[in-house]
Amino acid sequence: MNAFDELANNFSRLPGIGKKSAVRMVNWLLKQDAAYVQKFAQNLGQLQERIKPCSVCGTWTESDPCPVCSNPLRDSSQICVVEQPQDVSTIEAYGEYKGLYHVLGGLLRPLEGIGPAQLAIQPLLARIRGGAVTEIIIATNPTVEGDTTALYLNKMITELNLPQPPKVTRLATGIPVGGDLEYIDKRTLSLSFRGRSEF
């Protein structure tokens, strides 16, 4: 296998990249300036060395604790629980949420051998016990695994028996803005009815 095929094979292992896209990427890189390709390779080589999980929330960061956890202007009474580090970036891009985060590192999937011990649940419970947290916002995906994980977290938080337990909320789900009722699946419609709010 030559260098071209080897690199194309590496790119094709990335999520969402097929063989054709991988070959296209390698061809594109070959046409670029040598300095750019060297810088690209250097950045890639240093990625795991420079970027680590935040010791507090678990999101990817170059400085520990991450900029969110170390920002005194963030609302430390709210913790938004997400599945993966990239979910933090997605929520931050909207600029609406001003609290803190906690990355679970996945969802409960017993059939795949992923139970509570494989997720960052105990560190979350320790944060709740040790601080003045008034709300836990569970922002897992609205899937069977996401719902199961949310229910499990709610149960574990309740079992802490704190004098003033935090309120546990879940992100709203339902009909998207601009959605047409005719094309909405039954589960989404059901969630929309259950999560309806007053004007």
Side-chain angles (χ1 to χ4, degrees), residues 3 7 16 29 35 54-55 61 63 87 91 96 107-108 117 143 151 155 183:
L7 189 56
L29 282 170
C54 172
S55 60
T61 183
S63 57
D87 299 329
I91 296 170
E96 294 291 322
L107 296 174
L108 292 173
T143 59
L151 288 169
K155 178 178 176 284
Y183 304 108

Side-chain angles (χ1 to χ4, degrees), residues 23-128:
V23 168
R24 202 175 304 123
M25 288 174 159
V26 177
N27 277 311
W28 184 85
L29 282 170
L30 287 169
K31 294 175 189 173
Q32 301 311 302
D33 179 71
Y36 169 81
V37 175
Q38 284 174 355
K39 184 68 178 165
F40 179 82
Q42 182 184 359
N43 289 342
L44 197 57
Q46 294 175 345
L47 184 66
Q48 289 185 322
E49 179 185 312
R50 293 175 63 183
I51 308 293
K52 303 283 184 198
C54 172
S55 60
V56 178
C57 72
T59 194
W60 299 124
T61 183
E62 203 163 342
S63 57
D64 193 20
C66 72
V68 172
C69 290
S70 59
N71 184 346
L73 301 177
R74 301 294 293 218
D75 182 356
S76 61
S77 70
Q78 286 185 323
I79 297 178
C80 180
V81 180
V82 296
E83 180 184 346
Q84 299 292 350
Q86 57 265 34
D87 299 329
V88 173
S89 305
T90 302
I91 296 170
E92 281 297 288
Y94 286 107
E96 294 291 322
Y97 178 66
K98 301 299 180 198
L100 301 177
Y101 293 95
H102 188 85
V103 178
L104 292 173
L107 296 174
L108 292 173
R109 290 187 170 93
L111 295 176
E112 296 173 29
I114 302 172
Q118 283 72 47
L119 304 179
I121 293 174
Q122 288 307 315
L124 171 64
L125 298 177
R127 289 177 75 185
I128 295 167

